[in-house]
Each structure stands twice: as C-alpha cells, then as structure tokens.
Amino acid sequence: MVKVYKWYVDKCIWILVFQAPDYYQIIKKPMDFQTIKNKINKFIYADPVEIVGDVRQIFTNCVEYNKRTTQEFKAGSAMSKLFERRLKNLEESAAMNGPSSKRARTK
C-alpha cells in the first residue's frame, strides 16, 4: 500500500502543477498530506479529530475533482477505505485498552 500512497501523492502533485489549472476553481477547501504533516510538526492541531477531518478532506477533494473512471479516483477511493478501516481498528483498540489499561501499567 505504501507504493500506492507514494504514487497517489506524486501523481496528484504532478496533476496539480501541470494538468489541473481549474483545480482551485473546483476545490474550495484544498488539503494535502504535506500540509497535514506541517500542521502536526507545528502543533497546530488541537485535537486528533482535526487531523482525521483533514485526511478525509483530501479524499473528498479527490472524489470531487476526478472522474470515476480515472486512476486517481480509484486510488483515492481505495486509500479512503483503507484509512477508514484502520481508523475504526484504532478506535476499537483504544476503547478496549481504555483507562483500565493505564492503571494496570502504573502499578
């Protein structure tokens, strides 16, 4: 999946620079992984929910801008499904290992 992610990011950057002069006319709330990384590194996010929202915005933009038949649409959709699946697993794991596990570790 890392290869798909790298391909997707590289391809999207290439498209924005060379083939998508109308991108910012169509997409009103642009977001990208580099911006998310920068916001994390600068401690701009107050809550992890904000990070999840920005990641979802990337996928929303991908679906909104690209036609269903394109590789970009398909890659973005696949990555979105993977993200949501892993997020759900993380949430379930956190719920199972909630406050009680902290007490167990501190004893």
Side-chain angles (χ1 to χ4, degrees), residues 31 34-51 54:
M31 183 51 61
Q34 187 62 47
T35 298
I36 293 172
K37 180 180 175 182
N38 291 341
K39 288 171 80 172
I40 290 170
N41 290 338
K42 294 177 182 178
F43 302 98
I44 292 173
Y45 291 113
D47 191 293
V49 172
E50 294 175 21
I51 300 170
D54 279 351

Side-chain angles (χ1 to χ4, degrees), residues 20-34:
D22 63 342
Y23 185 82
Y24 294 106
Q25 294 168 346
I26 295 169
I27 300 302
K28 300 304 179 198
K29 189 177 177 189
M31 183 51 61
D32 60 83
F33 290 109
Q34 187 62 47

Side-chain angles (χ1 to χ4, degrees), residues 74-99:
K74 292 173 185 175
S77 295
M79 286 180 60
S80 177
K81 288 176 186 172
L82 176 66
F83 174 76
E84 294 299 335
R85 197 167 47 247
R86 291 205 175 166
L87 181 62
K88 182 180 178 185
N89 291 344
L90 181 64
E91 289 169 343
E92 289 171 355
S93 176
M96 288 175 47
N97 299 320

Side-chain angles (χ1 to χ4, degrees), residues 5-20:
Y5 166 77
K6 181 168 177 14
W7 171 85
Y8 175 76
V9 172
D10 292 346
K11 181 80 169 172
C12 286
I13 290 168
W14 185 85
I15 288 170
L16 281 176
V17 172
F18 296 106
Q19 291 187 337

